[in-house]
Every structure is written in structure tokens, then in C-alpha cells.
Amino acid sequence: MSQSIKCEIVAVGTELLLGQIVDTNSSWISQRLAEAGIDSHHQTKVGDNHDRIVAALQAALARSDAIIVCGGLGPTHDDITRPAIAAVMGVELQHDEAVANRIRQKFAAANRAMPEINLLQAQVPQGASVMDDLPGTAPGLICPINDNDGDTNNDDTNNDRANAANKVIYAVPGVPYEMKIMIANTVIGDLRERAGFPPTITSRTLLTWGYSESGLAEALADEITALDSSDPDVSIAFLASGWNGLRLRLSTKSKDAGTVLDHHEQRIRAIIGDAVFGVEPDTMESVVLD
């Protein structure tokens, strides 16, 4: 039986806050989460500061079931994601010799001498598991969050503890190539399993012309309100497309996505009529030619 699961993204790196690097990782990850049917309501950027990373993770865990932390897994002094996660878990870091050997083998395969500092990447929070993929030298981590404090005789406390025990932090490198392999091969599958293999999100995009974004929102206000109250698994979003008009995207998690999208497309067409001139992958040119 599937259940709703919320996953939050925390991007680590002072360079992100200074604008020296654009955070394309979070954008890519959020697309993969949406495709997998995993809700994601928040994204956070935080600099390379232990206390602020801990605070960001604690805030994220308070409102989400899973956290993907991207960055800060390197071997240098400012790579402090591992100790920050350990602090949130309430555990110590421990040396994992199997990870250390994998890192040594990476350098040997490239015929390069390994700086000893790289063995810092073999420090793993107690209770965490290491992802199988190791495209670089930074291992990805799956870190369960457990709450062992409080009154064990209190039902509410026990429920809170059970919810906390189901939460997880995934730590992946900030290098896009390495991150994408771990997200695609491990994280998405693990999230889907935790959620009971939820359905993926299916979308249909209607192409419109003649409305401003605010005008289209006003015309469809009653329909959007009705959706929110009667069918929360269906959503409407407006996407500005410049001289190509406005795209109106219908999305649903329903197993019977085609029927659901057909129904709501008909309702929208009944409201705004010929303002809908096509459905992606149509283009304005292809519609005019037809």
C-alpha cells in the first residue's frame, strides 16, 4: 500500500550562497523526484558551517520524511556534511575500512598517488549504510534517523518515535556526474520502496493564447478551487512561454491518469474555449500548418 512521502533537498556549499556556482543539482534532483511521484515542498541552501548545516537538517526533518543532502562530502577541511549528519543522528563517525579500500583502488586504477587526507571520506556515521555506486572518491550515504529519547510509556511519544525512525537522510556528492548516478541508481528506488512504490506523476500540457497569466488564473479560479477540495491528486500550473503564449500543465498521480486528464482537459476547454490551441508536443507552427 502506497503512502505519501515528502522529500526535501538541502544543498551544501558557501559557493552557492555567494553566487559563484549555480545550483543546478537541486533542479535536476527535484525533476527526478517529481517523475517518481515523490512530493518535494522545500529546498534549502546552506554554507559550509557545521552548526548551520545541523540546524538546516533538523528543520528539514521536522517537516519532511526524507532529506537529500548534496555536497560537502569531499576530503578537505570545509567538507563537513558527514560530521553534521552524525550530530543530527546523535552518533559518532567511524572509519569504514571497506570504503577506504574502495577509495585506494580508485586512485590505483588511475595510477595516481592517494593523499592520506582522502581517507577522511571513509568516515561514516554509525548506523549509516554506504551506497554501492562510487563513481568518484566520495561515498554516498543512507542515514536512518532514530529518536531514542523520551517516555516509552507515552503513546504519543511512541508514535513520534516511530515516525522519526522512518525518516532518512541521503548524502550525495556535489559533483553532478557522481550525484546523478547515486540519485538514479539508489536514492529514487529507496524512496519509492519506503513509500510503497507510489505512482509516478503524469502530466499533460495545454497550449493557450490570448490570456495573461493572471487573466488565465482568474478565469480558472473556480475550477482550481474545486480541484483543491475534491481531487487533490490533480494540480494545475501555469508556465509562461513568451511569444508562444501560456502553457497550462495538468498533473495527476492517479493510476487511471489518461481518463482523469481527459476529464479535466474537457472542463478547462469548456471554460476558456478556443484559447487552447494545442496540446504538447504540438507547437504554434505545427497547429497553423495543420
Side-chain angles (χ1 to χ4, degrees):
M1 181 177 179
S2 64
Q3 60 182 342
S4 175
I5 186 169
K6 296 190 292 290
C7 182
E8 190 159 331
I9 302 168
V10 176
V12 175
T14 301
E15 66 275 9
L16 301 174
L17 300 179
L18 296 177
Q20 296 171 341
I21 294 179
V22 176
D23 181 20
T24 57
N25 284 351
S26 292
S27 176
W28 188 90
I29 294 170
S30 63
Q31 292 176 43
R32 303 293 82 76
L33 293 174
E35 292 168 357
I38 304 296
D39 292 327
S40 184
H41 298 160
H42 296 85
Q43 294 183 10
T44 302
K45 294 180 182 63
V46 61
D48 299 307
N49 176 277
H50 181 275
D51 291 344
R52 287 194 284 273
I53 294 173
V54 169
L57 295 177
Q58 290 172 335
L61 286 168
R63 61 194 172 215
S64 297
D65 307 296
I67 312 299
I68 298 175
V69 186
C70 186
L73 296 180
T76 58
H77 71 282
D78 58 344
D79 291 307
I80 50 180
T81 294
R82 284 182 298 270
I85 292 176
V88 172
M89 295 173 68
V91 300
E92 299 293 327
L93 289 170
Q94 60 184 10
H95 178 79
D96 189 318
E97 186 59 23
V99 174
N101 285 333
R102 291 173 70 187
I103 295 172
R104 293 187 186 102
Q105 290 167 9
K106 281 282 182 183
F107 278 89
N111 197 26
R112 294 168 54 200
M114 186 194 74
E116 285 300 308
I117 194 173
N118 275 90
L119 291 182
L120 289 176
Q121 294 176 297
Q123 295 291 306
V124 176
Q126 293 176 355
S129 57
V130 177
M131 297 182 194
D132 290 336
D133 290 300
L134 190 68
T137 60
L141 304 173
I142 303 175
C143 308
I145 303 300
N146 296 296
D147 180 3
N148 296 316
D149 299 325
D151 181 2
T152 58
N153 296 318
N154 183 286
D155 288 340
D156 290 338
T157 300
N158 289 336
N159 289 336
D160 290 342
R161 183 177 299 111
N163 291 335
N166 289 328
K167 296 192 175 187
V168 62
I169 296 176
Y170 303 98
V172 297
V175 179
Y177 167 73
E178 300 175 25
M179 174 274 295
K180 290 178 180 179
I181 290 176
M182 293 179 187
I183 294 293
N185 291 354
T186 300
V187 176
I188 294 299
D190 193 70
L191 278 169
R192 285 175 60 83
E193 184 174 354
R194 290 171 186 272
F197 300 99
T200 57
I201 293 177
T202 304
S203 298
R204 179 178 301 172
T205 302
L206 310 183
L207 309 176
T208 75
W209 180 264
Y211 276 95
S212 65
E213 187 170 352
S214 57
L216 190 59
E218 184 175 57
L220 295 173
D222 291 343
E223 183 69 11
I224 294 171
T225 300
L227 273 178
D228 288 340
S229 60
S230 66
D231 199 349
D233 280 341
V234 180
S235 63
I236 295 177
F238 304 125
L239 309 168
S241 300
W243 66 273
N244 284 307
L246 281 168
R247 292 181 293 157
L248 191 158
R249 186 180 63 210
L250 285 165
S251 301
T252 181
K253 293 182 181 179
S254 172
K255 293 181 180 178
D256 194 13
T259 300
V260 170
L261 293 175
D262 285 344
H263 171 72
H264 289 290
E265 178 182 346
Q266 291 169 10
R267 290 180 61 88
I268 288 171
R269 286 180 180 271
I271 296 170
I272 61 176
D274 289 342
V276 179
F277 68 84
V279 179
E280 284 190 344
D282 291 342
T283 64
M284 186 175 291
E285 293 87 350
S286 69
V287 170
V288 170
L289 181 61
D290 289 342

